[in-house]
Amino acid sequence: MTEKYTDNVKETTVAGSARIISACIMLSRILGFVRDMLFTTFFGWVSDAFFFAFMIPNLFRKLFGEGALSSAFIPTFSDYIHNKERSETQRFLNIIITTLTIFLLFISAVVIAFSFLIPDMANMFPSQKDPGFYPLFASLLRIMIPYMPIICLVALLTAILNSLKHFVIPALASVVLNISWICAFLVAPLFSSVPEKQVVIVAWGIIIGGLLELVMQIPPLIKRKITYKPQVDFRNEGFKKILKLMGPATFGLAIVQINLMVDVLIARIFVKEDGAISALYFSNRIMQLPLAIIGISMAIAVFPFLAEYISKKNISGMKQELAKSLRLTMFVAIPASIGLVVLCVPAIDLVYNILPKYLFHSKGLDISAVTRTAATLACYAIGIWAYGGLQIINRAFYAFNDMKIPVKVGVRMIIMNVILNLVLVQYMQEAGIALATALTAMANFFTLFYLLQKKTCAGETTVFGKWQRNEFSKSFISGFIIALIMGAGCYLILLAMPGPIDKAEILWGGLMKVVIPVTGGVILYMLISLVFARESLREFWVNLGLKRKGKK
């Protein structure tokens, strides 16, 4: 009898896995907010240089870690663990890990060498802003680029564990990184009182956090009898398949990540005041909380299941899981979009002004920075439902080993995004960049949704058939109408509260301006859904684990 890795895999569900991932992500995001609150001390060109440098290893992480590699690796590995012997699967893993490590070390060396040229290239971007920006950026980049091979390996090990239906330790990895980041920030003043030197200590904290992330993946891998020894074989069937799948995915993601870098450069060049990059970063962090808890956690959970259904030729099961995941995501993501637009000012004021002052005795953001960051958040938040839906739809294509359609659409969307950036930044400063991102995400979502309806399997079965399309459209439209009513309710509650919307002098007042409208909005959304979207509400409670299937 042949032994497979699936012999030790526990049965679980998408909803159950998503709940685990969401809880871990919530903890990570809370720590992330603590980290960002501390970072408000550096708001300006120092934080701009740090975030710009940190974007580089993150770019490669999304390309060769949780992006192109994971999208190609999980369907291939799912096929191995369900249809191949354990020894053959282990050899495949050895080859992938070894090859990825060698490649990433080479890329790291190239980037470090290039970083020494950056200060001399600063004259290409003439500016009256602080001349220390580019030298500090280059120095931080040299420190943080080793984080790239570390975190890419973490992403690969995470993909292995997720394919084996283990989600807890991978989801907790970012918690460890945030703890390391916070500790580095707290000890930095012991070494220097100069912000430019303090951020260097924080950069080293990121490297330590990355190493801890890598180490914590090893015990669950050993428990599942996954070992490692260096092997290289470019003729391996699985290796060649991943390379073939990664080609278009890497191309598409490379353009996306380059586009993100272009966004930052546009903010640096066209926005007159310092702090544009930081405003984009801080607002994006707030927007990422509901997106990660709702869309990304669902997408991470559903991807291995979609790949498994396809490897077992269970297309009917795949269609049902995909449709349900999209409906659940929209049921929560749409009100999150509307709610953040309404509460953007009190949310930014609380997280980046009031809490830093009361918890860490730091200066926090001033009124001008709060206003700029809140406007950027409102523009980002418009597209939360589109960002979340894209996470799932893209993975549906990836599960079918179809990377070309998302890439082709993505390239067109990126051109659209750059054009919108250049136009809107002239009128809205950094908020225009955020609005361009949201509008592009919406266009991308609807285009891929349309193409997914035309997707066929075995020449006859539609992946997203008429019934699923109608059910999704009905829940989407009703959800948007109910969310708009909820948003109006939140705004009226906010107006009724004492004091100006954009400023709270005390901690209690700042908390209440977020907590009370949010609580009122959630209650209102649930009550209206109970009357006009009962089926969507029931499905939500069932998958949240608070109501048994079949009971109404």
Side-chain angles (χ1 to χ4, degrees):
M1 181 178 177
T2 59
E3 189 180 10
K4 300 178 182 178
Y5 277 112
T6 48
D7 296 339
N8 296 321
V9 176
K10 293 181 179 180
E11 288 297 320
T12 185
T13 64
V14 172
S17 302
R19 286 197 298 270
I20 294 171
I21 297 168
S22 293
C24 295
I25 288 177
M26 173 68 83
L27 177 59
S28 174
R29 297 297 175 175
I30 291 172
L31 290 172
F33 285 140
V34 173
R35 178 193 80 194
D36 294 340
M37 289 175 202
L38 292 168
F39 236 90
T40 57
T41 303
F42 298 138
F43 190 87
W45 71 272
V46 174
S47 59
D48 281 0
F50 182 90
F51 294 137
F52 197 8
F54 187 58
M55 284 182 67
I56 306 297
N58 264 342
L59 182 153
F60 287 101
R61 171 178 64 85
K62 292 177 180 179
L63 279 178
F64 304 115
E66 61 193 33
L69 178 60
S70 291
S71 62
F73 176 80
I74 288 181
T76 306
F77 184 53
S78 181
D79 181 54
Y80 265 83
I81 62 178
H82 289 100
N83 302 311
K84 308 280 186 180
E85 294 184 14
R86 180 185 289 268
S87 59
E88 192 174 351
T89 304
Q90 181 63 65
R91 175 175 169 78
F92 163 70
L93 291 178
N94 291 337
I95 292 168
I96 296 300
I97 294 172
T98 304
T99 308
L100 180 65
T101 302
I102 294 171
F103 175 74
L104 292 174
L105 290 175
F106 172 75
I107 294 293
S108 298
V110 171
V111 174
I112 289 173
F114 175 76
S115 70
F116 287 98
L117 303 175
I118 290 175
D120 296 330
M121 297 171 63
N123 293 330
M124 295 174 58
F125 306 101
S127 174
Q128 297 179 352
K129 300 178 183 180
D130 199 297
F133 175 86
Y134 288 105
L136 178 60
F137 164 66
S139 177
L140 292 171
L141 180 59
R142 283 192 291 274
I143 295 171
M144 288 193 283
I145 201 63
Y147 177 72
M148 182 264 290
I150 295 170
I151 199 61
C152 286
L153 287 173
V154 170
L156 177 59
L157 300 185
T158 293
I160 295 172
L161 289 170
N162 286 348
S163 297
L164 297 173
K165 309 296 173 57
H166 179 78
F167 298 96
V168 178
I169 296 299
L172 284 173
S174 58
V175 173
V176 173
L177 175 65
N178 282 326
I179 291 173
S180 178
W181 195 326
I182 292 169
C183 290
F185 190 97
L186 294 176
V187 302
L190 301 177
F191 293 90
S192 176
S193 60
V194 180
E196 296 94 301
K197 294 183 179 179
Q198 289 180 353
V199 292
V200 171
I201 304 298
V202 177
W204 281 110
I206 290 175
I207 298 299
I208 294 171
L211 290 171
L212 292 174
E213 284 185 278
L214 183 62
V215 170
M216 69 185 292
Q217 310 300 317
I218 296 175
L221 289 169
I222 294 175
K223 184 178 179 180
R224 285 154 182 79
K225 299 180 181 179
I226 292 180
T227 58
Y228 169 71
K229 65 177 182 178
Q231 282 183 287
V232 176
D233 182 3
F234 298 137
R235 295 174 296 178
N236 179 266
E237 177 186 345
F239 176 78
K240 290 192 293 184
K241 183 178 180 180
I242 284 182
L243 277 186
K244 181 180 179 180
L245 294 174
M246 276 188 67
T250 302
F251 175 73
L253 283 168
I255 295 177
V256 170
Q257 297 307 311
I258 291 170
N259 183 62
L260 291 175
M261 299 300 294
V262 171
D263 287 354
V264 172
L265 286 173
I266 289 173
R268 179 69 189 170
I269 296 168
F270 289 95
V271 179
K272 297 177 181 179
E273 296 181 75
D274 274 324
I277 298 175
S278 298
L280 287 167
Y281 175 83
F282 287 138
S283 59
N284 188 270
R285 291 288 300 169
I286 294 281
M287 184 271 295
Q288 286 288 334
L289 176 62
L291 174 61
I293 293 172
I294 302 162
I296 295 176
S297 61
M298 181 65 76
I300 291 172
V302 78
F303 191 20
F305 287 86
L306 296 180
E308 180 180 338
Y309 280 130
I310 292 171
S311 69
K312 293 180 177 180
K313 313 298 183 186
N314 184 1
I315 304 304
S316 175
M318 194 280 293
K319 288 163 56 176
Q320 292 178 18
E321 204 68 73
L322 174 61
K324 183 176 72 174
S325 298
L326 273 174
R327 289 196 305 271
L328 286 171
T329 297
M330 293 300 156
F331 183 77
V332 184
I334 293 172
S337 276
I338 303 298
L340 261 186
V341 171
V342 173
L343 300 175
C344 61
V345 175
I348 293 294
D349 190 39
L350 174 66
V351 175
Y352 295 125
N353 179 31
I354 298 172
L355 287 178
K357 288 178 180 177
Y358 279 85
L359 297 180
F360 308 111
H361 305 289
S362 67
K363 63 180 183 179
L365 301 185
D366 58 27
I367 295 300
S368 173
V370 167
T371 303
R372 291 173 62 189
T373 307
T376 308
L377 172 60
C379 292
Y380 269 135
I382 292 171
I384 287 176
W385 58 269
Y387 309 138
L390 278 172
Q391 294 285 335
I392 295 171
I393 288 181
N394 276 324
R395 281 168 172 79
F397 283 103
Y398 297 159
F400 272 97
N401 293 328
D402 186 347
M403 314 292 178
K404 292 182 179 179
I405 290 179
V407 168
K408 289 178 180 178
V409 173
V411 170
R412 290 168 173 80
M413 293 300 127
I414 286 164
I415 296 171
M416 171 183 170
N417 187 54
V418 171
I419 294 171
L420 287 173
N421 273 340
L422 293 172
V423 173
L424 294 175
V425 75
Q426 306 295 331
Y427 302 97
M428 301 173 64
Q429 300 296 292
E430 63 270 1
I433 296 173
L435 181 58
T437 301
L439 294 175
T440 303
M442 294 179 200
N444 198 358
F445 173 80
F446 284 120
T447 303
L448 286 178
F449 181 77
Y450 171 76
L451 294 174
L452 190 61
Q453 296 173 49
K454 293 180 170 292
K455 183 76 177 171
T456 61
C457 180
E460 52 183 52
T461 307
T462 56
V463 169
F464 210 79
K466 183 177 180 180
W467 180 84
Q468 286 90 354
R469 181 181 68 244
N470 292 340
E471 283 293 307
F472 173 77
S473 299
K474 179 182 175 182
S475 62
F476 180 84
I477 294 171
S478 63
F480 234 109
I481 294 172
I482 296 171
L484 287 172
I485 298 172
M486 177 213 73
C490 286
Y491 186 67
L492 291 174
I493 293 172
L494 190 61
L495 287 178
M497 298 186 71
I501 292 175
D502 62 345
K503 188 177 181 182
E505 298 293 342
I506 60 174
L507 176 61
W508 181 253
L511 282 170
M512 290 302 98
K513 285 190 175 182
V514 174
V515 173
I516 291 178
V518 167
T519 304
V522 169
I523 293 172
L524 182 60
Y525 185 72
M526 292 298 175
L527 289 175
I528 299 174
S529 297
L530 185 62
V531 177
F532 297 104
R534 182 183 292 269
E535 185 59 30
S536 296
L537 183 62
R538 187 195 69 81
E539 188 174 50
F540 171 74
W541 288 124
V542 166
N543 285 277
L544 199 60
L546 300 179
K547 188 172 183 179
R548 292 183 181 178
K549 259 184 177 178
K551 288 191 176 185
K552 297 190 177 184

